[in-house]
Amino acid sequence: MSEIPLIDFQRVTYTYRQVGTEERVEPALEDLQLQVRAGEYLAVLGHNGSGKSTLARHCNALLTPDSGRVLVTGMDTREQGYQKRIRETVGMIFQQPDNQIIATIVEDDVAWGLAVRGFPAQEIAERVTASLEAVGLAHLRKQSPQRLSGGQRQRLAIASVLALRPRCIIADEATSQLDPLSRQEIVRLLHSLHRAYGLTIIHVTHLLEEVMEAERILVMEQGHILMEGRPEEIFADLERLRALKLVVPESLELAALLRAAGLPLAPGTLSAQAIAREVAS
Ligand code: ADP
Ligand code: MG
């Protein structure tokens, strides 16, 4: 018997309602089919406006379909009675961590979501410690979030979601306000949470360099999934990615040029580091 998907999009269409306009609005998602397997690392790529955030918001019932349905471990997102459990199953991290940070002390922020759900004090203390350790902020637990860097604040937002013990974390452009180094740290953290806890990760971004290690990549355009595959499959057609208004990193150009020149690089050799390792070996 095959396992049921963690998240199951069945022919989902969704159109944002525009008030006071006669214009026909294009659907933000159209007849979309997608199964997210429990434990996978899925990346969702696409240029601005392609429908990534709309897809992400359907995964935890922040939006619900106009037609079709979304099931989270079998629970229909339109059923009011399931929405609380769905949001505990699928946690979300957004672009601006500050919108998610509530308390004035790091550890209180992580505790907050547990306290409002009525967890006992001992359980809250244990989860706060474990979550802060998981994101590397344990040493800053008494700090004010305002004194943290952008990358640290994003890690705090992740810890607060982790404390609820979700099965899936969706990071929606969670790195786009950060400098390149903090960006890499967040991507590494998502991978380490995936490995350490078997968490399902849905990593939403327009940056190709962030998704080279994903298990599966979707490329979106106008509310549709246009491409789907492993990184080496998706990155085999750089022209097509450029046509979809995505910026192709230099390492991918270089790997393509080296292959064209006859160097037998392995298919999964995509990042600058991987190319250097392989060329030097
Ligand atoms: P992405 O996250 O890939 O940038 P979105 O899912 O945010 O894409 O947007 C998909 C489409 O829906 C775009 O055409 C966008 O303009 C439209 N859209 C997004 N949010 C809203 C909204 N709150 N109201 C009206 N239209 C919206
Ligand atoms: Mg978006």
Side-chain angles (χ1 to χ4, degrees), residues 73-88:
T73 60
M75 298 181 281
D76 191 322
T77 57
R78 274 176 312 198
E79 295 257 350
Q80 299 278 338
Y82 286 144
Q83 291 184 350
K84 184 166 163 284
R85 265 172 67 200
I86 287 172
R87 295 200 183 114
E88 286 165 5

Side-chain angles (χ1 to χ4, degrees), residues 48-49 52-54 57 95 172-173 204:
N48 193 16
K52 304 182 299 298
S53 293
T54 309
R57 290 181 151 83
Q95 194 168 331
D172 185 0
E173 303 274 7
V204 175

